[in-house]
Amino acid sequence: MAAPPEVFRLEGVERSFGGKTVLSDIALRVHQGERVAIIGPSGAGKTTLFRLLSAVLKPSAGQVLALGHDTRRLRGRALRHLRRDIGVLYQNDNLIPHLRVVHNVLMGRIGHWGLARTLLSLFWPQQLPVARAALQAVELPDKLWSMPGELSGGQQQRVVIARLMVQRPRVMLADEPVSQLDLRLGREIIGLLAGIARQMDATLLVNLHTLELLHEHFDRVIALREGRLFWEGAPKGISRDLLRDLYGAEYRALSLDEVTLDRPVPPSTGDPTG
């Protein structure tokens, strides 16, 4: 059976800011349908990597191929089309506070609409059934006309995921989407993202700070340290010694000794024999 097509290929990628190298010699492949977690200490270059993948930044050296396109060569309409196909959820990707939930969700359609329809939708929401269906999928069917300030943090993240759904990207990038949520809510949000990615046959990459969530939904883990690829493999390959080497001085500060490295055991549903 042929391998799934590549959605990202990075060769010898470097990225510098003001003479300081943030990423160096990154070689990476991501295939369609994969669910990949990116981990590493603060300053490892995780967010910069995501901005390169989404063509918000261009590499200082090397090549980034995103959905078959060399991001250094993209301009104008071709660049807009690529960004339409790559949905991004940033850590501080707050909703527009003075717009109702329905308008925030429909912002995901901007890449598909012209300017006139986008402006019209601010007064008379376009494709209302699409917004309703997306909110239903994230279990917020009654929040269509709510204001963002009326929602909890977890509900706001669900609205952002609904916005990604109506965008219908081929790739979903989530940059620490649960860093401000507790473990229970974080588990719900990661499960929701993974489920929607499967439903849409989209590739999912998540910058993940909460290591307890690695084993439930990800096929592969990529670890960055000091701007370089430190390790990659299946979640089950992560050991306590690897985490100590990866996080260094942050290991104790993040209480990583308390992180459960094994796949969680699902709660019993009773005697299977009845």
Side-chain angles (χ1 to χ4, degrees), residues 147-159:
M147 300 298 289
E150 299 169 5
L151 307 181
S152 68
Q155 288 174 328
Q156 289 185 23
Q157 284 294 71
R158 287 174 181 267
V159 172

Side-chain angles (χ1 to χ4, degrees), residues 95 100-106 127-146 151 155-166 192 196:
L95 302 172
R100 296 189 182 275
V101 165
V102 61
H103 297 295
N104 275 282
V105 170
L106 288 173
Q127 296 186 335
L128 197 56
V130 173
R132 289 187 188 277
L135 287 171
Q136 180 71 43
V138 299
E139 301 178 354
L140 293 176
D142 59 336
K143 302 300 184 182
L144 189 69
W145 302 107
S146 298
L151 307 181
Q155 288 174 328
Q156 289 185 23
Q157 284 294 71
R158 287 174 181 267
V159 172
V160 175
I161 294 171
R163 186 174 67 199
L164 277 180
M165 288 186 68
V166 304
L192 186 58
I196 288 170

Side-chain angles (χ1 to χ4, degrees), residues 19-246:
K20 179 182 178 181
T21 300
V22 177
L23 288 175
S24 181
D25 196 27
I26 301 293
L28 188 62
R29 308 282 189 277
V30 178
H31 292 86
Q32 180 181 326
E34 274 197 285
R35 295 186 298 279
V36 181
I38 315 293
I39 65 172
S42 301
K46 302 186 297 295
T47 295
T48 299
L49 175 63
F50 268 34
R51 293 183 182 274
L52 287 168
L53 296 177
S54 59
V56 172
L57 294 175
K58 297 182 180 181
S60 304
Q63 183 181 59
V64 177
L65 292 178
L67 299 175
H69 301 282
D70 185 340
T71 61
R72 293 174 303 180
R73 301 178 182 277
L74 292 179
R75 302 287 189 278
R77 179 178 295 181
L79 181 58
R80 291 194 297 272
H81 285 178
L82 178 68
R83 290 177 178 168
R84 181 185 67 191
D85 288 336
I86 300 176
V88 185
L89 192 167
Y90 288 116
Q91 178 181 357
N92 297 315
D93 192 8
N94 297 321
L95 302 172
I96 300 174
H98 60 276
L99 293 181
R100 296 189 182 275
V101 165
V102 61
H103 297 295
N104 275 282
V105 170
L106 288 173
M107 287 292 175
R109 298 303 297 167
I110 288 178
H112 301 266
W113 294 342
L115 177 61
R117 191 172 191 184
T118 298
L119 294 175
L120 176 62
S121 189
L122 293 175
F123 299 95
W124 188 265
Q126 304 292 291
Q127 296 186 335
L128 197 56
V130 173
R132 289 187 188 277
L135 287 171
Q136 180 71 43
V138 299
E139 301 178 354
L140 293 176
D142 59 336
K143 302 300 184 182
L144 189 69
W145 302 107
S146 298
M147 300 298 289
E150 299 169 5
L151 307 181
S152 68
Q155 288 174 328
Q156 289 185 23
Q157 284 294 71
R158 287 174 181 267
V159 172
V160 175
I161 294 171
R163 186 174 67 199
L164 277 180
M165 288 186 68
V166 304
Q167 182 178 341
R168 299 203 65 81
R170 294 171 58 188
V171 181
M172 297 165 59
L173 305 177
D175 188 10
E176 297 196 4
V178 299
S179 61
Q180 299 179 30
L181 304 178
D182 62 32
L183 184 58
R184 179 185 63 82
L185 287 175
R187 183 170 283 116
E188 290 179 5
I189 294 297
I190 294 297
L192 186 58
L193 278 169
I196 288 170
R198 283 192 296 270
Q199 175 188 332
M200 298 195 306
D201 193 26
T203 306
L204 175 65
L205 288 86
V206 180
N207 277 344
L208 200 58
H209 184 75
T210 309
L211 302 187
E212 288 91 342
L213 304 178
L214 284 176
H215 291 269
E216 296 181 55
H217 300 288
F218 296 101
D219 311 308
R220 183 157 57 112
V221 179
I222 293 170
L224 296 179
R225 181 181 180 187
E226 297 179 349
R228 293 180 176 270
L229 183 62
F230 181 81
W231 180 88
E232 64 176 310
K236 65 182 180 182
I238 296 175
S239 67
R240 196 75 62 188
D241 286 342
L242 187 150
L243 291 180
R244 289 192 186 96
D245 290 343
L246 173 62

